[in-house]
Amino acid sequence: MEWDINNIGNIVDYINLELGKGRTLSDIERSEFGVNPSVISKRLRRLKYKRVNNKFIKHDVGQDVRQFEKYIKLEEGDELLDTGEKTIADIVTINKDEEKLIGLIDNYDIIMELVKAKKNEIGIILELPNEPGKKETRATIRVNKVIWEQFNNFSDKNKQFTKKELVSQAIKEFMEKYDFNGFK
C-alpha cells in the first residue's frame, strides 16, 4: 500500500482493519508502507487522527482522550461507534483561544521547522561602526588554540565575511553583553 493523503480514509480503514486482526502498527508500517515504525502514526497525528482502543479516529488533538471515548462508546459495550467525519470539536465546546492553542499544538513540528529556517536565514548580522579613513588597526593577541581552530572552521563556513569583521563583531558583542559603553 502506498501513502496517499488524498486516499486517507481508505488508508485509515485498512490500518484499523489490520489492527482489529491483531497485527501491530509497527508491522503494518514496515510491511504495507515500507517505512520505519511510528512514521505512519506521526503522519496520522498531524492529520488529527488519534489512536483510541486500537483504532485511529479523527478528532482534534489536545482534548482528553477519555472524554472523547466517553462520547463515542456504545452504552452496552466497549465497541466504538462509527463517527464518520465528526471531531471532538463537534461534541465539546471550545473557545477561540483554546482553538488557537490546539492549532499551534497541531502544527508544532511545522512551526519549529520555520523557526529553525528563519534562524538559519538571518544568520550573522554585522553592526560595526564606520572606520574613518579606512585605516585598520593591527594587533597581535594570543588566543586559545582550540578556540582559534574552531574560529577558523567557523570563518570557512561564513566566507561572506572577513576574519577582521567576524572578530570585530565578536568583540563588540562581548563588550555589549558585559555592559561596556566605550567612548561614546
Side-chain angles (χ1 to χ4, degrees):
M1 182 167 256
E2 194 172 306
W3 177 263
D4 179 9
I5 199 162
N6 297 319
N7 194 21
I8 195 67
N10 291 335
I11 290 172
V12 170
D13 289 343
Y14 177 78
I15 291 172
N16 286 340
L17 179 68
E18 294 300 307
L19 288 171
K21 292 178 183 177
R23 288 183 66 192
T24 65
L25 183 58
S26 296
D27 179 47
I28 297 168
E29 289 174 309
R30 276 192 207 105
S31 301
E32 310 303 325
F33 295 94
V35 296
N36 290 331
S38 78
V39 169
I40 299 298
S41 158
K42 287 179 183 176
R43 289 177 182 172
L44 289 173
R45 276 197 305 271
R46 285 187 203 118
L47 295 170
K48 298 184 180 183
Y49 282 87
K50 190 77 173 177
R51 193 169 175 180
V52 179
N53 288 347
N54 210 27
K55 286 187 177 183
F56 283 95
I57 299 171
K58 186 170 180 110
H59 75 286
D60 287 328
V61 177
Q63 299 294 324
D64 186 358
V65 174
R66 285 169 296 201
Q67 186 179 16
F68 181 65
E69 287 179 289
K70 181 176 83 176
Y71 285 99
I72 59 177
K73 282 187 182 180
L74 292 171
E75 291 292 325
E76 300 83 36
D78 229 0
E79 301 208 15
L80 297 176
L81 293 172
D82 179 10
T83 60
E85 291 299 312
K86 198 169 205 176
T87 68
I88 197 161
D90 298 321
I91 300 167
V92 178
T93 305
I94 56 176
N95 67 35
K96 289 286 184 194
D97 290 336
E98 290 170 331
E99 191 175 311
K100 289 177 184 175
L101 185 58
I102 290 169
L104 290 172
I105 292 168
D106 287 346
N107 294 299
Y108 177 81
D109 292 336
I110 295 168
I111 292 168
M112 293 313 294
E113 285 177 28
L114 289 171
V115 167
K116 185 178 177 182
K118 191 67 177 171
K119 282 183 180 177
N120 289 340
E121 179 184 305
I122 292 172
I124 301 169
I125 299 172
L126 295 182
E127 296 175 339
L128 298 172
N130 291 330
E131 294 180 278
K134 290 211 173 204
K135 187 167 186 163
E136 58 188 40
T137 301
R138 291 188 158 269
T140 302
I141 57 171
R142 296 185 187 275
V143 180
N144 178 293
K145 185 175 182 174
V146 174
I147 298 298
W148 185 250
E149 288 170 1
Q150 291 173 350
F151 177 72
N152 280 330
N153 290 334
F154 179 80
S155 62
D156 286 345
K157 291 178 184 174
N158 295 283
K159 290 193 180 279
Q160 69 271 33
F161 304 110
T162 65
K163 285 184 179 180
K164 172 190 165 188
E165 291 171 326
L166 292 172
V167 168
S168 297
Q169 184 66 31
I171 293 170
K172 177 181 178 265
E173 288 179 15
F174 181 85
M175 290 186 302
E176 287 171 353
K177 179 178 178 180
Y178 293 101
D179 200 27
F180 176 74
N181 293 323
F183 299 102
K184 293 182 181 178

